[in-house]
Every structure is written in structure tokens, then in C-alpha cells.
């Protein structure tokens, strides 16, 4: 049966329809409410709706609809456009949001102020709009623009709400029918998420200038709304004693905090011992900036955790640094950790978990497994039993190259998944991967890479030496954009095929000497060190068969079919080091 599947988080591209909207809330006068605002019950993709950023809480990004299929996709025409330029003082340049659609109404964040708009999904007509003016607090926010979406909740009996996080890190609830603030939630419809956030040894951050925000949609599970945290994009923070990451759950009706999970364990909490020399007290970040998935039947929530300060140097934080770059499973009602798996020990490669884990029901060797699969920047898919945390296929601890950077103490081993195979190149092979259009270009590439450190996965960054003949850093492949990034993957529950868009983009990780020894730098390279063979960046869509043993006839493997579709681009002038977070 033909079916429709959204492969990754989509940017909402809207064109000009009219000038700046002035509607603050929708009001019906002398006319009944439209049918879409009268229906009750829970929304579902089975009804043609898209009720969440990832379609559902499993982040399958799957819809069973089949009206649009391979036979007519090339005949689609634009039905309407809506331009978001006027929802802020200047047009947005980075549209990353995925709209949701409930009963014929499309809801999304829009514009540089991160306004919220409701549109008629059939015509594109504006129904209502909302925005908060946050002044300097929004200006100081580490995560700007319209963000990546919003969420929806209903009691199934007519109470419908839209939930989103402002650029200034406030949790807001709106009446889905009118756009008005829900006064019973928090204070006049708003919860200040900066309250309770700390740095150092539990010092509260400044409510205006304190560094924290988030640009993803909250996760709504039953009567709970769960919110992560993010800091500034960029590889080097002003101080490693930065804001500490956290995840919190709030009551959907009152806005009261139900639980909190500290991603940097405090004294007495599990994992605290992995921050040696009391280094938990002087380090920050370790947020959950991407989307969070959940299994309401099991009562479990899955947190994809990011890197600590700083991305490429960890000399000031010896130890494995839990729960950085880990998948953490917590109890939905209490936030208590059930299990975790750390993908990278003592992270210094910016391999933060960048996308929502996918919850899958699969069968492997005749055994039914409730699984969770996490795509990664490393181009590996980490697959676990989502109840117990046990890997579905073995993950081996293997020795890895060690750092020679002064003060750095890298982990002697790192986890290597044995299945499925990597869905993109995750090491640079010389000379095979160097440009070979002509013998002269190959010779030039060989000469260029002599000035860089090249090695297998988890080869550490090196100190940059700008003197003639000096080492210019470590060529990292995949780079900081992946592999997979925030777009994540998608899963078809009928075919058991999992799709992961990925990138193959070389990146230079170097350490620049500083006043206090060394500090990690994500240097924007002035010259590409050497492209993969005949290409610049490579975009891929990996298709994996989870458990059935076939991959649409492309490969027959005992447990894991795997196929790639590669779209190659010619080399172009672009700096290395583009970030995807």
C-alpha cells in the first residue's frame, strides 16, 4: 500500500498573502464556531491529523494516509502560501519549525519573535495570532527565532490548549480556539522557566541575562508537559562554569512543577562520581535541547542529553561526565532515572544527542522487543530494549586513541555498536577518500592532509600550531553536524523500515592555546582540508530493516537490511564547522 512518511523535521516555507496580522485572539460574534472548534476526542494521524512534532510521542513521523503517493507526487501544486516576515522586527532566515494540524487547523510558531499562529489548513487563512514581547530577556536568549515547533493538549471534552516555549524561556499556554492565554496555568498563562535554574554550586542565574533557553516543542504526555534546556550554539563558551542543564515536568492544568532531573548529578545523586575532583561544581551545559519522546503505557520518558562545557576540551572536568551524551530513561510520574546508556565517555567531539529517540516495536530472531532507537552524529543507530536499557545488539567497549593535549584526560575506551552498520562514513580513509578528479588535485590533497591529524572514530582534537609545517588540528568525520542531526529519523511500523537522513561533512577540531593553558575551539576553517572523493558534502538517506532481515530487496542480512541513497554535491566554497544544533 502506498503511504506517506515524513523523513525529517521540515521547515515551514510560507509565501506572502497579506500584511502584518493584528488579530490578538479569535472571537465569534453573531455566528457559530466553525466545525473544527466543536469536535471532541483525541487527535490522531489515523484521522489525517499531525498532532505532534514527530507525529506522535514515539517520534515515528509516520502517517497511514495514501492519497499522495509515488504515482502523483510530482504533480502536486502549491495550495496556498503564508508569509511570516511580519511576525517580528525583521524577516526570519532560519525556518526550522514543523507545524501541527488538528481538525483542519494548522498551528505553528512564526517569525523572529516566535509568535504563535493558527491557520485554516485548507485555505491558509489566519485564524488567530499571539506573541509575547520579552524585551532584553529575549535579546539575551541563547536560542532565537521561531524555533522548531509547539505542542497541543486536550482533555477530549472540549478543553484544547497550545503549549510553547518563548525565546526568553517562558512556558506559555494558549486557548487553541481563540489564542487567548489560559489564566489558570502558571501566572496568567505563563510559567517562568528561568526560576530554579542554576550555575556553579547552585547559584541562581539572572532572570534577564542568565544563559538558558530552548527551541524545541515541549513534550506533552497525558496531563504532563516536559521541557528541556539549551545554551548558546557554538563550540566554545565564555566560561566552562556555565548554566547547568536540566529537564522538568509541569502539571498541564496548573503549571506547577511535578519533577526535575539534573543532567549534571549533584552530590549524593547517581553518576556524581563521574565528575572527578568535584568538577560538577565548575561546569555547565549538558542540556536536552532536542525533542523528547515518551511511552505513556510504560510510563517512561527518554531524554537525549548533550555535551558538557566545552565541546572539544574537558581538562577541567576529568571523568566520564554522566549524563552527558547519554540516553536517559526516567519515570514519567517522578522523573527518577530508570536506566541510562552513555554513547561517549568524557565527551570532547561535540557528539551530543541531537534528535528524538524513536520508539519501535520490533521482532528480532523471533523475539518481540519494545525498542528505542537513537540516531547519532556518529552515524550509528543505538538500539535498546526501552524497558530494561539492554542493547538489542552488542555494543562493545573498544580502546581508542588518547589525547596529548596538556591537561586532557580521555577515556581509554568508547562504545562501538556492532549492529546496524554505520549509515554514513564515520572515519576518513586516506588516500581513498581524498579528491581524485585529476592526479594534480589528488597530489594537492595529499599534501594538505599532512598538516592534520587523521585517525579512526574518537581520535581526539589536537593543539593547533600555526607555524610553518605545524599541525592544524584533527579532521573529524563525521563532523559536528553528523551523521544525523536534529532532523532525526522516521519509522514505518508496517514495513519495519527506519529512515535516517544524514550528512558526511569533514570538520576540523583543534585546540587553541589560551591564557590558562588551552581551550577548545571550533575553528571556522579558511580552507577545506580535502573533500571526500569527488564531492563536497554528501547527503544520505539510510534505510534500515529492523528485525525482518530484508531491506526492500536491496540487501539480505540475517538481522539487519541496510541501503543507502546518496545525493552528491560538487565541491563548493564553504567553511568547515557549520553547526546543526
Amino acid at each position: 500500500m502506498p503511504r506517506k512518511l515524513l523523513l525529517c523535521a521540515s521547515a515551514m516555507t510560507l509565501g506572502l498573502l497579506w500584511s502584518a496580522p493584528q488579530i490578538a485572539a479569535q472571537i465569534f460574534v453573531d455566528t457559530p464556531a466553525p466545525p473544527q472548534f466543536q469536535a471532541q476526542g483525541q487527535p490522531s494521524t489515523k484521522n489525517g491529523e499531525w498532532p505532534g512534532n514527530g507525529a506522535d510521542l514515539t517520534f515515528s513521523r509516520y502517517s497511514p494516509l495514501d492519497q499522495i503517493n509515488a504515482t502523483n507526487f510530482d504533480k502536486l501544486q502549491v495550495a496556498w502560501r503564508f508569509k511570516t516576515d511580519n511576525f517580528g522586527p525583521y524577516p526570519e532566515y532560519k525556518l526550522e519549525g514543523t507545524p501541527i494540524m488538528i481538525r483542519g487547523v494548522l498551528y505553528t510558531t512564526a517569525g523572529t519573535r516566535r509568535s504563535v499562529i493558527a491557520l485554516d489548513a485548507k485555505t491558509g487563512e489566519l485564524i488567530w495570532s499571539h506573541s509575547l514581547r520579552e524585551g532584553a530577556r529575549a535579546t539575551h536568549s541563547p536560542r532565537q527565532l521561531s524555533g522548531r515547533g509547539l505542542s497541543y493538549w486536550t482533555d477530549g471534552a472540549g478543553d484544547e490548549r497550545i503549549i510553547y516555549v518563548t525565546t526568553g524561556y517562558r512556558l506559555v499556554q494558549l486557548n487553541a480556539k481563540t489564542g487567548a492565554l489560559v489564566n489558570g496555568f502558571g501566572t496568567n498563562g505563563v510559567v517562568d522557566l528561568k526560576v530554579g535554574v542554576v550555575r556553579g554550586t547552585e547559584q541562581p542565574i539572572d532572570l534577564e541575562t542568565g544563559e538558558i533557553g530552548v527551541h524545541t516543542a515541549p513534550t506533552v504526555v497525558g496531563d504532563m508537559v516536559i521541557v528541556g534546556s539549551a545554551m548558546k550554539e557554538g563550540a566554545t563558551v565564555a566560561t566552562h562554569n556555565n548554566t547547568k542543564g536540566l529537564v522538568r515536568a509541569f502539571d498541564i492544568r496548573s503549571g506547577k512543577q511535578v519533577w526535575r532531573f539534573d543532567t549534571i548529578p549533584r552530590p549524593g545523586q547517581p553518576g556524581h562520581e563521574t565528575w572527578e575532583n568535584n568538577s560538577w561544581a565548575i561546569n555547565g551545559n549538558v542540556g536536552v535541547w532536542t525533542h523528547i519522546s515518551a511511552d505513556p503505557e510504560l510510563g517512561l520518558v527518554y531524554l537525549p542529553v548533550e555535551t558538557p562545557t566545552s565541546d572539544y576540551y574537558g581538562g577541567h572536568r576529568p571523568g566520564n561526565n554522566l549524563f552527558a551524551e547519554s540516553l536517559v530513561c526516567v519515570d514519567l510520574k517522578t522523573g527518577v532515572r530508570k536506566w541510562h546508556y552513555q554513547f561517549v565517555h568524557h565527551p570532547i567531539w561535540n557528539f551530543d544527542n541531537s534528535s528524538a529517540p524513536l520508539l519501535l516495536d520490533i521482532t528480532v530472531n523471533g523475539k518481540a522487543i519494545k525498542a528505542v532507537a537513537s540516531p547519532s552524529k556518529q552515524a550509528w543507530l543505538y538500539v535498546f530494549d526501552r524497558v530494561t536499557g539492554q542493547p538489542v545488539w552488542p555494543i562493545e567497549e573498544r580502546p581508542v586513541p588518547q589525547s596529548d593535549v596538556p591537561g586532557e584526560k580521555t577515556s581509554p575506551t568508547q562504545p562501538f555498536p556492532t549492529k546496524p552498520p554505520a549509515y554514513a562514513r564515520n572515519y576518513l580513509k586516506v588516500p581513498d577518500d581524498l579528491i581524485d578528479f585529476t592526479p594534480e588535485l589528488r597530489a594537492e590533497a595529499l599534501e594538505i592532509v599532512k598538516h592534520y591529524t587523521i585517525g579512526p572514530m574518537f581520535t581526539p582534537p589536537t593543539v593547533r600550531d600555526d607555524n610553518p609545517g605545524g599541525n592544524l588540528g584533527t579532521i573529524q568525520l563525521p563532523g559536528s553536524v553528523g551523521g544525523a542531526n536534529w532532523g532525526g529519523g522516521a519509522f514505518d511500523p508496517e514495513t519495519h523500515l527506519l529512515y535516517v537522513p544524514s550528512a558526511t561533512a569533514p570538520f576540523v577540531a583543534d585546540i587553541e592555546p589560551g591564557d590558562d593553558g588551552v581551550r577548545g575551539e571550533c575553528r571556522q576553517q579558511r580552507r577545506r582540508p580535502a573533500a571526500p572523493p569527488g564531492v563536497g558534502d554528501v547527503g544520505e538517506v539510510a534505510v534500515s530493516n529492523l528485525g525482518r532481515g530484508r531491506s526492500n530487496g536491496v540487501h539480505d542480512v540475517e538481522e539487519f537490511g541496510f541501503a543507502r541513497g546518496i545525493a552528491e554535491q560538487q565541491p563548493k566554497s564553504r567553511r568547515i564547522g557549520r553547526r546543526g544544533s
Side-chain angles (χ1 to χ4, degrees):
M1 175 190 295
R3 53 184 62 84
K4 183 171 67 176
L5 184 69
L6 179 67
L7 293 184
C8 61
S10 61
M12 182 183 179
T13 54
L14 308 171
L16 179 63
L17 196 61
W18 54 71
S19 59
Q22 302 296 324
I23 302 172
Q26 177 181 232
I27 300 174
F28 300 104
V29 179
D30 296 329
T31 183
Q36 61 261 44
F37 292 127
Q38 297 176 1
Q40 297 182 0
Q42 297 294 333
S44 170
T45 55
K46 295 178 182 179
N47 304 327
E49 297 165 298
W50 196 264
N53 187 278
D56 48 43
L57 289 171
T58 71
F59 268 79
S60 68
R61 295 190 169 95
Y62 171 81
S63 172
L65 303 182
D66 60 3
Q67 186 177 359
I68 299 173
N69 53 53
T71 66
N72 58 23
F73 184 81
D74 61 344
K75 299 178 179 63
L76 293 178
Q77 297 180 0
V78 175
W80 54 261
R81 289 187 174 93
F82 187 94
K83 197 169 180 65
T84 64
D85 284 3
N86 293 316
F87 289 96
Y90 54 90
E92 175 144 31
Y93 59 86
K94 190 181 180 184
L95 287 170
E96 296 179 342
T98 298
I100 62 175
M101 196 278 282
I102 315 292
R103 301 186 185 95
V105 180
L106 187 148
Y107 303 93
T108 187
T109 50
T112 52
R113 289 198 192 278
R114 199 175 295 177
S115 300
V116 177
I117 59 175
L119 306 176
D120 186 303
K122 184 176 181 179
T123 66
E125 179 186 2
L126 178 69
I127 298 174
W128 56 255
S129 70
H130 155 90
S131 69
L132 285 185
R133 303 296 178 95
E134 298 180 288
R137 176 161 167 162
T139 303
H140 288 291
S141 170
R143 297 299 167 115
Q144 299 278 339
L145 308 179
S146 62
R148 293 174 183 162
L150 41 66
S151 300
Y152 171 89
W153 174 87
T154 180
D155 63 357
D159 186 356
E160 299 179 78
R161 307 183 187 187
I162 296 297
I163 307 99
Y164 82 108
V165 179
T166 68
T167 52
Y169 205 47
R170 289 180 168 100
L171 183 64
V172 178
Q173 270 198 12
L174 307 173
N175 184 309
K177 301 174 183 178
T178 68
L181 290 162
V182 178
N183 291 328
F185 181 79
T187 302
N188 299 320
V190 179
V191 172
D192 191 337
L193 294 174
K194 282 193 175 183
V195 174
V197 178
V198 301
R199 61 187 296 273
T201 52
E202 309 300 335
Q203 288 84 37
I205 65 170
D206 185 272
L207 295 184
E208 181 174 287
T209 62
E211 184 183 315
I212 196 168
V214 77
H215 48 355
T216 49
T219 297
V220 175
V221 193
D223 289 343
M224 203 95 74
V225 53
I226 303 169
V227 184
S229 53
M231 288 26 126
K232 287 182 180 178
E233 294 186 61
T236 303
V237 292
T239 171
H240 52 78
N241 191 12
N242 205 30
T243 306
K244 287 175 163 56
L246 74 168
V247 178
R248 287 170 290 182
F250 301 88
D251 183 273
I252 197 75
R253 290 182 171 85
S254 68
K256 292 182 179 179
Q257 181 175 307
V258 178
W259 55 258
R260 163 182 175 147
F261 182 82
D262 293 318
T263 51
I264 297 180
R266 310 302 200 261
Q269 294 180 341
H272 174 71
E273 71 283 355
T274 65
W275 295 80
E276 299 175 9
N277 300 339
N278 212 35
S279 57
W280 75 274
I282 58 168
N283 286 277
N285 287 38
V286 197
V288 176
W289 58 258
T290 194
H291 286 100
I292 296 168
S293 50
D295 186 330
E297 292 185 3
L298 294 175
L300 299 175
V301 178
Y302 302 88
L303 311 178
V305 189
E306 67 148 355
T307 308
T309 52
S310 174
D311 287 1
Y312 296 95
Y313 178 71
H316 43 73
R317 48 175 173 84
N320 280 351
N321 308 140
L322 290 175
F323 292 96
E325 297 192 8
S326 301
L327 177 61
V328 182
C329 173
V330 300
D331 185 274
L332 170 61
K333 293 183 178 180
T334 65
V336 172
R337 181 185 61 90
K338 290 294 188 178
W339 59 263
H340 75 275
Y341 197 95
Q342 189 174 44
F343 298 169
V344 182
H345 308 316
H346 187 75
I348 56 168
W349 293 273
N350 191 22
F351 285 154
D352 45 352
N353 288 329
S354 55
S355 62
L358 291 90
L359 309 187
L360 326 167
D361 292 338
I362 61 176
T363 301
V364 178
N365 292 333
K367 179 182 178 182
I369 299 175
K370 291 183 176 296
V372 53
S374 185
S376 69
K377 290 184 177 182
Q378 299 92 293
W380 283 320
L381 186 71
Y382 296 80
V383 188
F384 305 92
D385 183 310
R386 67 177 183 265
V387 179
T388 67
Q390 291 299 310
V392 171
W393 293 279
I395 301 178
E396 300 175 350
E397 287 284 339
R398 299 177 185 174
V400 293
Q402 296 299 290
S403 175
D404 59 3
V405 173
E408 186 61 270
K409 180 185 175 184
T410 43
S411 172
T413 64
Q414 294 289 353
F416 283 73
T418 58
K419 290 183 180 181
Y423 47 77
R425 274 177 286 185
N426 59 6
Y427 66 94
L428 183 64
K429 186 177 181 180
V430 177
D432 297 14
D433 288 345
L434 302 184
I435 193 167
D436 62 353
F437 289 158
T438 67
E440 292 78 13
L441 284 173
R442 169 59 67 85
E444 182 182 1
L446 286 168
E447 185 61 30
I448 289 172
V449 298
K450 289 179 181 178
H451 302 285
Y452 295 88
T453 298
I454 298 173
M457 175 68 79
F458 301 118
T459 297
T462 46
V463 175
R464 182 180 181 89
D465 180 1
D466 287 313
N467 293 312
N471 184 283
L472 300 180
T474 297
I475 297 180
Q476 185 177 310
L477 184 67
S480 64
V481 299
N485 209 280
W486 61 269
F491 181 67
D492 185 332
E494 296 185 40
T495 63
H496 284 214
L497 291 177
L498 186 145
Y499 301 78
V500 183
S502 66
T504 301
F507 172 89
V508 174
D510 61 358
I511 305 295
E512 181 179 275
D515 295 338
D516 57 350
V518 293
R519 59 190 179 92
E521 283 289 335
C522 175
R523 182 176 291 274
Q524 296 293 312
Q525 208 60 22
R526 290 172 292 280
R527 183 179 186 185
R528 180 179 293 277
V535 302
D537 291 349
V538 179
E540 301 180 323
V541 176
V543 185
S544 297
N545 186 346
L546 290 174
R548 289 193 176 180
R550 293 183 66 87
S551 182
N552 286 351
V554 178
H555 282 295
D556 290 338
V557 184
E558 179 182 357
E559 293 176 321
F560 229 106
F562 181 74
R564 287 184 190 156
I566 301 179
E568 299 185 345
Q569 302 171 358
Q570 294 301 315
K572 55 181 181 258
S573 177
R574 189 188 59 74
R575 295 177 297 178
I576 292 175
R578 177 187 50 160
R579 284 181 56 89
S581 60

